[in-house]
Amino acid sequence: GRVLYSDSNTTMSRLFMLCCCLLVAAGHAFVTTRPNLQVKKSSHTKTITTLNVIPEAFTDTPETARTYFYIWFFGGQGGATVALGQFPKQFAKFKSLFDMSEEGPTAAGETVGLSPLCLYPRDISKADVDQVLSNKLSVEQMVAKGPKPNYLSEKGYLCFESFADANKKCNPLTIRAVFD
């Protein structure tokens, strides 16, 4: 089984590299735009217009195009850096979601039918959802009585901590699912 996976992985890597090479070969990254070409075929004349991804105002010379390449390339690196910085936090939240699946009381019974695409570790029961939804506190009361861990909660917005505090007796996974 392991060798087959490795062969499949190698094949996919080679296919990906081939596609990248074809894409690069077909592109015109630093080529200045050419004027319309006139193609004469028998007695009919056709005009072929080249299309560029970047407007001509940015690519009037190869030097200008290179300048914009570096701006966009390093600008994209900033987005990747932010994503890499957020990954550990998002992974920790995802892990805590799975830890919630076994804690707290549950009414069990019929389930809601939560899709696996929601990435919850298990389905939640309708009785647990009804218990959370039957909370008589308004959002304003939950915010006023609950903890205020961030700026938005201090300004009156409902955060998860305040919502969880208002539903202490309910199943933690159900509280998270209803809040989400």
Side-chain angles (χ1 to χ4, degrees), residues 1 10 34 48 57 61 66 75 82 102 105 118 121 130 148 173-174:
T10 302
R34 294 180 288 174
I48 299 173
T61 65
R66 284 187 189 100
V82 169
E102 299 301 324
C118 294
D130 290 339
K148 295 170 184 55
L173 185 63
T174 306

Side-chain angles (χ1 to χ4, degrees), residues 15-117:
L15 184 62
F16 177 72
M17 291 301 292
L18 176 66
C19 289
C20 288
C21 290
L22 290 174
L23 182 64
V24 168
H28 301 287
F30 297 116
V31 177
T32 58
T33 58
R34 294 180 288 174
N36 292 342
L37 302 174
Q38 297 287 329
V39 178
K40 192 152 191 145
K41 195 174 194 180
S42 66
S43 62
H44 301 291
T45 303
K46 290 184 179 181
T47 302
I48 299 173
T49 305
T50 58
L51 298 176
N52 296 317
V53 176
I54 302 173
E56 288 185 33
F58 298 131
T59 59
D60 55 349
T61 65
E63 291 78 27
T64 307
R66 284 187 189 100
T67 303
Y68 278 97
F69 167 77
Y70 292 120
I71 290 171
W72 285 103
F73 180 76
F74 289 112
Q77 296 303 316
T81 304
V82 169
L84 287 174
Q86 287 299 315
F87 180 78
K89 293 176 185 177
Q90 293 299 325
F91 185 74
K93 285 184 179 183
F94 185 71
K95 190 176 175 188
S96 73
L97 187 66
F98 274 81
D99 293 342
M100 281 184 202
S101 68
E102 299 301 324
E103 59 181 70
T106 182
E110 188 180 357
T111 60
V112 175
L114 197 61
S115 170
L117 296 176

